[in-house]
Amino acid sequence: GNSASARLGKLLAMNSLVMKQDSLTVEWYYRSLVPRRHYIHFTVTNVLEVLERVRTWPLEKIRHMTSHANRFAYTYLGHESR
């Protein structure tokens, strides 16, 4: 389709590292997300390079980023926050 991913908010809350492809379409909360804080940003041309780089990161860095993503999702995207 030609719309933003409706599942990104759910992915941010799943206690996993999230990768988001660069896109022209946006959801209302995208401008509040910070690359390398809430998710890993990639493009079609650099996806393999980004994956290789992330594989070398210490587990603590990944946990820290996942924690920020979870907190963002629960604070701004949960049913209680609406």
Side-chain angles (χ1 to χ4, degrees), residues 11-81:
L11 293 174
L12 291 168
M14 290 185 70
N15 203 31
S16 296
L17 188 64
V18 175
M19 295 186 65
K20 179 186 171 306
Q21 183 177 351
D22 192 23
S23 173
L24 296 176
T25 57
V26 297
E27 287 282 347
W28 63 269
Y29 60 89
Y30 281 16
R31 67 175 176 231
S32 299
L33 292 173
V34 179
R36 294 185 67 137
R37 179 176 175 93
H38 299 117
Y39 67 94
I40 303 298
H41 172 266
F42 71 93
T43 64
V44 173
T45 59
N46 74 352
V47 63
L48 295 177
E49 176 186 320
V50 171
L51 282 171
E52 288 299 321
R53 188 174 347 125
V54 170
R55 286 182 178 180
T56 66
W57 287 359
L59 188 55
E60 190 55 38
K61 180 176 182 172
I62 294 170
R63 286 181 178 148
H64 190 71
M65 188 178 298
T66 301
S67 173
H68 282 288
N70 290 169
R71 196 171 316 124
F72 180 91
Y74 292 130
T75 301
Y76 301 109
L77 305 177
H79 290 290
E80 296 80 25
S81 61

